[in-house]
C-alpha cells in the first residue's frame, strides 16, 4: 500500500536533474509531498504562502520564461485559482503542471470542504489541459516523470490515503493518454480511475465467481481520452460501467458518455458521487455512503448487461 | 462572566480540545488552543446569542474563518449550551454535528461553513451589511489565522469593509506565528501586520491573546468603534497550555497520542 501523493513527491525529486524544473508551494507541501524537493532544492522552490491564485500565475510567468513549474495544493484549493488556470495558463498554453492532492470523498474526516468532487470535470473543460488521476504511487510517479516533455499544461489529482500498489516493475505500461487494460472479459467493461480502480478490480473478481467476465481499465488520463480503447471495449463487451470518486456529473463518466453517444453507443452505467456534497467520515465509510464500493460496481455491471439489446 | 470564570471556561475547553483530537486521532489542536481564550471571552462576556434559539435572527454572528480550528469552537459551543458535551464525541465521526471543519448546516450555533481559508471575512462583511440594512445594532465577529491573511480575498474584504465604513464588523487575527508547513516567517513573511490593517482604514489594537483581562478590554474597545471596522491583532502561542504543543508546527494538524494526552491533561489540571 502507498499513497499516490508519495509517488508525486518521489517524481519531483527524481526530476530535479532537469535544471528547468521548479516547484511552487502554497503551504501544503508537507501534504502534497513537494516537501522532499523543497528540502533538497530550496533555491528552485517558491513558497507562495497560502495564496493559490498567486501561485498559478507565478507558475505561468516562470513557464513563459522557459521553466517547467510544478505547483501543488489540495485539489479543492486549486479550484480557487480556476480562472487563473483558465486565462493565465491554459489559454496561452503554458506548461504549468498543477497537482491537486486529497481529491475525492476518500479524503475522509476533514469533511465536505476538503473533498473535491468536481476537479476532474472543471479542468476537463479547459482547452490544452491534460487531466490525469492515477490509481497507485508507481503510475503517479511514471506519469509525473513524463510531464516535462509534455509542452502543455496539466492537472493531476492524487489521493490522500494509501491504495494498493499495482504497477511495481511495470512502469513502462504507463503512458499519458493511454488507458491500461488490467484484465479482460467479454461481458462488460469497467472503466475506472484513481481509488476506484481497486474497487473495480474487486468487482471483477466477484463478478467472475458469478460467471460474469469483466474487462477492467485504468483510465488514468481523463483528457485526452483514450477513445481507441473505448471503441474496442464497446465493441467487445457491449456494456460499460464507469467508476470514479468524483461527482457523477462531468468527470470520467461524463467524458466516456460524451464520447459514446456520438460514436458507438452501448448501455452504460455510471458509478460516482451522487449530486451532493460529502461529509466527515472514514475513507471506507465514505466510499460506502457515496455508493462507490465494489458491490455497487457489481450491481451497476449487471444493470448494464441487462440493458444489452 | 468574571475574569476567573472565563479563565476556568478556557481551561475546560483546552481539555476538550485535547480529548477531541485524541479521540479522532486527527484534527487541529494547535490553532484551537491559540484561539480559545478569545473565543471564551467573546462568548462568555459579549456575544449576543441564544443557545436555546441558535437561529434567532437578531443574534450577533461569529464566523470562525479558520474553520480547521473547530475543536475550539465546538468546546465553547458545548460550554455555552448550544450543543452537549456528548456531541463533542462526534468530532470527525460519521453523521456527527461536529464535522471536521465547522459547518452551519450541521452544527447549531455555527454561522458559517468553513474549511477554505480566506473566506470568512467577506462572509462577515455580508452579515454586517445585512445588519445595517435591517437597522439592527447586531455585530459580525470574525476570527482568522495569521497564515490565513496571506489569502488575497482577505484584502479584498479589508478594503471593501473600510470603504463601506462597517463599524459593526469586528475581526480577530490569531497571530500564533505558525501555519501548516512551518513558521509564518519561513513560509511568507507578513512584516508589519497592524500597519497593514491601519493603512487599509481599520481601527487596530494589538493585545496579548492569552491575557483574559486584556481580551475583555479589547472587546469593549471594539464595540466602542462604530464608524469603521475594527481589528484586534492577538499575539498568541500555537498550542498554548500544553507544553509539547506550544510553538510547535508539528501540532498544527496532528493529534496527541495516548501518552501525550495524559501529559496534556495533567498539565491542564485534570486529576488522573
Ligand atoms: C484556501 C486554503 N488553502 C489551504 C488550506 C489548508 N490549510 C489548512 S490550515 C492551514 C494553515 C493555516 O494557518 P493559520 O491561518 O495561521 O491558522 P492557525 O495557525 O491558527 O491554525 C492551511 C494552509 C485551506 N484550508 N484553505
Ligand atoms: Mg497561525
Amino acid at each position: 500500500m502507498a499513497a499516490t501523493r508519495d509517488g508525486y513527491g518521489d517524481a519531483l525529486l527524481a526530476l530535479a536533474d532537469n535544471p528547468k524544473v521548479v516547484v511552487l508551494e502554497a503551504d501544503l507541501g508537507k501534504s502534497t509531498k513537494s516537501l522532499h524537493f523543497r528540502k533538497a532544492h530550496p533555491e528552485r522552490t517558491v513558497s507562495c504562502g497560502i495564496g493559490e491564485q498567486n501561485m498559478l500565475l507565478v507558475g505561468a510567468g516562470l513557464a513563459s520564461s522557459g521553466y517547467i513549474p510544478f505547483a501543488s495544493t489540495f485539489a479543492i484549493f486549486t479550484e480557487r485559482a480556476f480562472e487563473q488556470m483558465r486565462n493565465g495558463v491554459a489559454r496561452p498554453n503554458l506548461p504549468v503542471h498543477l497537482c491537486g492532492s486529497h481529491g475525492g470523498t476518500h479524503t475522509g474526516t476533514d469533511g465536505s470542504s476538503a473533498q473535491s468532487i468536481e476537479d476532474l470535470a472543471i479542468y476537463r473543460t479547459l482547452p490544452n489541459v491534460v487531466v490525469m488521476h492515477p490509481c497507485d504511487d508507481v503510475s503517479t510517479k511514471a506519469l509525473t516523470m513524463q510531464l516535462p516533455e509534455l509542452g502543455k499544461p496539466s492537472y493531476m489529482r492524487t489521493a490522500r490515503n494509501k491504495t494498493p500498489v499495482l504497477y511495481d516493475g511495470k512502469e513502462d505500461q504507463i503512458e499519458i493518454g493511454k488507458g491500461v487494460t488490467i484484465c479482460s472479459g467479454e461481458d462488460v467493461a469497467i472503466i475506472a480511475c484513481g481509488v476506484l480502480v481497486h474497487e473495480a478490480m474487486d468487482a471483477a473478481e466477484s463478478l467472475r465467481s458469478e460467471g460474469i467476465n469483466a474487462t477492467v481499465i485504468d483510465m488514468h488520463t481523463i483528457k485526452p481520452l483514450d477513445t481507441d480503447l473505448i471503441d474496442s471495449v464497446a465493441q467487445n463487451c457491449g456494456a460499460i460501467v464507469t467508476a470514479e470518486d468524483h461527482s457523477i456529473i462531468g468527470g470520467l463518466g461524463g467524458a466516456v458518455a460524451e464520447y459514446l453517444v456520438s460514436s458507438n453507443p452501448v448501455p452504460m452505467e455510471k458509478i460516482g458521487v451522487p449530486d451532493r456534497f460529502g461529509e466527515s467520515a472514514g475513507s471506507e465509510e465514505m466510499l460506502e455512503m457515496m455508493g462507490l464500493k465494489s458491490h455497487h460496481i457489481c450491481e451497476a455491471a449487471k444493470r448494464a448487461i441487462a440493458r444489452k439489446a | 462572566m468574571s475574569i476567573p470564570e472565563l479563565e476556568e471556561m478556557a481551561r475546560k475547553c483546552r481539555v476538550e480540545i485535547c480529548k477531541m483530537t485524541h479521540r479522532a486521532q486527527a484534527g487541529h489542536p494547535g490553532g484551537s488552543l491559540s484561539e480559545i481564550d478569545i473565543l471564551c471571552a467573546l462568548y462568555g462576556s459579549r456575544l449576543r446569542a441564544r443557545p436555546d434559539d441558535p437561529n434567532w435572527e437578531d443574534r450577533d454572528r461569529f464566523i470562525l474563518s479558520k474553520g480547521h480550528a473547530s475543536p475550539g469552537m465546538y468546546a465553547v459551543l458545548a460550554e455555552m449550551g448550544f450543543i452537549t458535551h456528548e456531541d463533542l464525541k462526534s468530532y470527525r465521526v460519521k453523521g456527527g454535528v461536529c464535522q471536521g471543519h465547522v459547518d452551519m448546516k450541521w452544527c447549531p450555533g455555527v454561522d458559517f461553513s468553513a474549511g477554505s481559508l480566506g473566506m470568512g471575512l467577506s462572509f462577515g462583511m455580508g452579515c454586517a451589511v445585512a445588519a445595517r440594512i435591517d437597522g439592527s445594532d447586531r455585530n459580525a465577529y470574525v476570527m482568522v489565522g495569521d497564515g490565513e491573511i496571506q489569502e488575497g480575498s482577505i484584502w479584498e474584504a479589508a478594503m471593501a469593509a473600510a470603504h463601506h465604513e462597517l463599524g459593526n464588523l469586528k475581526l480577530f487575527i490569531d497571530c500564533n506565528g505558525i501555519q501548516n508547513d512551518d513558521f509564518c516567517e519561513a513560509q511568507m513573511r507578513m512584516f508589519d501586520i497592524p500597519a497593514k490593517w491601519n493603512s487599509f482604514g481599520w481601527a487596530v489594537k494589538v493585545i496579548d491573546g492569552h491575557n483574559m483581562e486584556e481580551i475583555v478590554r479589547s472587546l469593549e474597545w471594539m464595540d466602542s468603534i462604530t464608524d469603521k471596522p475594527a481589528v484586534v491583532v492577538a499575539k498568541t502561542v500555537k498550542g498554548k497550555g500544553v507544553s509539547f504543543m506550544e510553538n510547535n508546527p508539528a501540532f498544527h494538524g496532528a493529534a496527541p497520542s495516548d501518552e501525550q494526552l495524559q501529559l496534556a491533561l495533567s498539565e491542564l489540571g485534570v486529576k488522573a
Side-chain angles (χ1 to χ4, degrees), chain B residues 146-147 174 176-179 184 238:
Chain B
D146 48 0
D174 183 356
N176 57 29
I178 296 175
Q179 44 195 94
C184 302
K238 202 152 177 169

Side-chain angles (χ1 to χ4, degrees), chain A residues 27 52 77, chain B residues 66 68 115 117 145-148 151 176 178 238:
Chain A
D27 197 30
E52 297 80 9
F77 307 131
Chain B
K66 39 170 270 186
H68 58 281
L117 295 170
D146 48 0
E148 182 177 7
E151 282 289 357
N176 57 29
I178 296 175
K238 202 152 177 169

Side-chain angles (χ1 to χ4, degrees), chain A residues 53-306:
Chain A
Q53 303 181 34
N54 186 48
M55 175 169 74
L56 259 285
L57 292 174
V58 170
L62 279 158
S64 78
S65 310
Y67 284 90
I68 307 167
F70 286 80
S72 64
T73 177
F74 284 10
I76 185 68
F77 307 131
T78 69
E79 293 174 23
R80 165 168 313 207
F82 180 72
E83 189 194 352
Q84 278 80 358
M85 184 71 173
R86 193 249 186 215
N87 269 349
V89 173
R91 205 163 49 104
N93 197 14
L94 291 166
V96 174
H97 302 296
L98 179 60
C99 173
S101 73
H102 294 56
T105 62
H106 194 250
T107 288
T109 69
D110 273 342
S112 60
S113 69
Q115 300 163 347
S116 171
I117 50 172
E118 59 285 324
D119 53 339
L120 303 176
I122 63 175
Y123 290 115
R124 195 168 75 75
T125 62
L126 297 181
N128 298 327
V129 177
V130 169
V131 179
M132 293 156 288
H133 181 26
C135 72
D136 81 342
D137 65 325
V138 177
S139 54
T140 303
K141 182 170 178 186
L143 290 168
T144 307
M145 297 296 286
Q146 293 167 28
L147 291 175
E149 299 303 315
L150 190 64
K152 44 186 176 135
S154 71
Y155 173 77
M156 177 188 287
R157 182 211 271 192
T158 59
R160 175 186 190 278
N161 297 310
K162 292 183 175 163
T163 46
V165 179
L166 220 63
Y167 295 110
D168 211 3
K170 301 182 203 153
E171 290 81 354
D172 49 358
Q173 292 187 8
I174 306 298
E175 191 186 331
I176 293 174
K178 292 268 175 277
V180 181
T181 304
I182 293 172
C183 62
S184 295
E186 58 290 347
D187 296 323
V188 60
I190 307 168
I191 304 176
C193 61
V195 170
L196 288 213
V197 169
H198 311 285
E199 295 296 332
M201 290 168 67
D202 289 349
E205 186 81 37
S206 49
L207 286 169
R208 195 168 307 129
S209 68
E210 297 180 50
I212 298 171
N213 293 317
T215 290
V216 174
I217 288 172
D218 171 8
M219 197 62 95
H220 52 68
T221 306
I222 288 110
K223 187 185 182 184
L225 196 61
D226 189 347
T227 51
D228 289 346
L229 187 54
I230 295 175
D231 283 340
S232 101
V233 295
Q235 189 110 55
N236 294 341
C237 304
I240 289 178
V241 175
T242 56
E244 61 198 311
D245 183 7
H246 181 279
S247 171
I248 203 80
I249 299 169
L252 174 64
V256 172
E258 284 163 17
Y259 177 70
L260 277 182
V261 288
S262 53
S263 57
N264 186 12
V266 295
M268 178 185 152
E269 296 284 329
K270 291 193 288 178
I271 290 290
V273 178
D275 188 17
R276 59 158 290 186
F277 288 105
E279 56 185 87
S280 287
S283 311
E284 288 300 309
E285 287 175 321
M286 284 311 301
L287 295 188
E288 185 63 48
M289 193 193 310
M290 296 295 141
L292 311 178
K293 290 293 293 175
S294 58
H295 66 90
H296 298 110
I297 298 175
C298 287
E299 287 154 24
K302 289 177 196 165
R303 284 199 304 273
I305 292 168

